[in-house]
Amino acid sequence: MTVPGIIPTPTPRLPGTPPRVGLQIGHLRSNELPDEQAHLRTSTGARWNGITEAQVNEAIAVRVRDILTAAGVEVDLLPATVPPSYDADAFVAIHADGSVEGARGWKIATPWRTSAASRMLLEAVASTYGVITGLPEDRNGITINMRGYYVFNYRRHTHAIARTTPAIIVETGFLTNAADREIIVARPDLAARGIAEGILKYLNQRDPNDGAALLPPEWPILYTRVETVVRAGPSDTARALANAPADSRVFVFNQQDDWYEAMVRVGDKRFIGWVRADQTRPATPEETPSAQPAEPPATNP
């Protein structure tokens, strides 16, 4: 469905224009990040036995590019720095994980404010990556750093994706896990095919004229009205993650029935979970965006 008055992208595509996809090589030349992201210049990612995450990410990204290009897609291969208000039909940041706890598996996340198109892109890549690589999904591993990835934060940064660019970040596996390295290091072609086939699936399924699908929702600033339980799911019986006292900041990015999925600040800690909508309140004038930023701090996994 096309919504009158909403264009598909900041730069409308002419009929017959091939889709454009941005592939970001996580941590590549992070020392060159612009001043607005200077605090991330020392973020070099995971490392194992002399192999850097940027090397792994680049080997995969180059192969994704080759597959997409062969399918008629225009591809921008990007380092840590992305062009101002980067405009594309899809953006995929490619990363690898690291852990001292023996964790393994892949995971994918969208920005905090997730458009329908970004969710569709996530679901498409998630449906192909695990099947093709044979790697398990790290179902409990989505982090605040992934959702708050600096490239997603168009409100804070010039060098970020455009608001209407569907985007995901893919953690392809753990560089610190031997079984994961068998794919992401020894068989980057499999990892690349898992990502590329998902992107192509998304491009074939989307409606390029549905501009509304590209618009992330805008949520008001909210605070807890009373002491509130942050839960793992939208149910009073879901596991409790934290007790948030009254007047705790609630950063909403999704809603299901009478529940908000949100990042909730409890003291100096942040929890991602679900809170009852009727236990929140609008911000007062003193709590408006002029007094507090509208996004969490930008991060780099």
Side-chain angles (χ1 to χ4, degrees):
M1 178 182 68
T2 302
V3 177
I6 297 177
I7 59 177
T9 57
T11 305
R13 313 297 193 233
L14 296 174
T17 301
R20 177 177 293 278
V21 171
L23 301 175
Q24 188 199 36
I25 303 169
H27 301 284
L28 182 66
R29 303 201 302 273
S30 59
N31 61 306
E32 300 175 3
L33 282 164
D35 289 345
E36 63 177 348
Q37 295 154 351
H39 62 293
L40 300 173
R41 287 174 181 163
T42 58
S43 178
T44 56
R47 181 182 294 268
W48 177 82
N49 200 26
I51 300 174
T52 68
E53 180 186 335
Q55 290 172 325
V56 174
N57 299 338
E58 184 170 20
I60 294 172
V62 166
R63 288 165 171 80
V64 176
R65 177 200 61 191
D66 292 345
I67 295 171
L68 296 181
T69 300
V73 178
E74 292 186 358
V75 178
D76 297 316
L77 208 57
L78 306 169
T81 302
V82 303
S85 300
Y86 180 72
D87 170 28
D89 296 288
F91 173 89
V92 178
I94 297 175
H95 282 254
D97 249 323
S99 173
V100 297
E101 302 175 355
R104 67 171 307 206
W106 58 273
K107 51 186 173 281
I108 306 175
T110 61
W112 288 114
R113 289 184 170 90
T114 303
S115 66
S118 290
R119 286 196 300 272
M120 184 183 297
L121 176 61
L122 180 149
E123 291 166 1
V125 177
S127 73
T128 59
Y129 189 79
V131 173
I132 290 173
T133 63
L135 293 176
E137 182 179 0
D138 181 10
R139 295 182 179 274
N140 299 315
I142 300 299
T143 64
I144 289 174
N145 285 354
M146 292 181 72
R147 300 294 301 261
Y149 190 44
Y150 70 98
V151 172
F152 296 161
N153 206 328
Y154 54 83
R155 288 170 174 264
R156 285 179 180 265
H157 298 312
T158 300
H159 290 267
I161 60 171
R163 178 175 175 236
T164 51
T165 297
I168 59 173
I169 178 171
V170 180
E171 295 282 1
T172 57
F174 280 80
L175 186 55
T176 49
N177 182 276
D180 286 8
R181 287 196 302 273
E182 286 297 315
I183 299 297
I184 65 174
V185 175
R187 294 293 308 277
D189 55 308
L190 282 181
R193 190 157 64 87
I195 294 171
E197 290 195 10
I199 294 172
L200 292 172
K201 181 178 180 179
Y202 163 73
L203 293 174
N204 289 329
Q205 289 178 337
R206 70 185 179 129
D207 177 358
N209 295 313
D210 186 0
L214 303 177
L215 296 173
E218 297 293 337
W219 299 94
I221 293 179
L222 298 176
Y223 286 80
T224 52
R225 183 173 54 81
V226 295
E227 182 174 350
T228 301
V229 179
V230 183
R231 297 193 178 274
S235 167
D236 287 320
T237 59
R239 177 169 56 92
L241 302 177
N243 288 321
D247 301 324
S248 297
R249 170 69 191 272
V250 180
F251 182 86
V252 178
F253 51 87
N254 190 21
Q255 182 174 9
Q256 181 173 320
D257 299 325
D258 297 326
W259 291 79
Y260 288 136
E261 187 178 14
M263 184 187 73
V264 183
R265 296 184 185 273
V266 180
D268 59 353
K269 296 183 179 180
R270 295 179 291 178
F271 297 89
I272 297 176
W274 295 82
V275 297
R276 293 184 61 91
D278 61 5
Q279 294 181 340
T280 65
R281 63 168 178 81
T284 65
E286 293 75 21
E287 297 166 336
T288 58
S290 61
Q292 296 195 25
E295 297 279 358
T299 54
N300 195 0

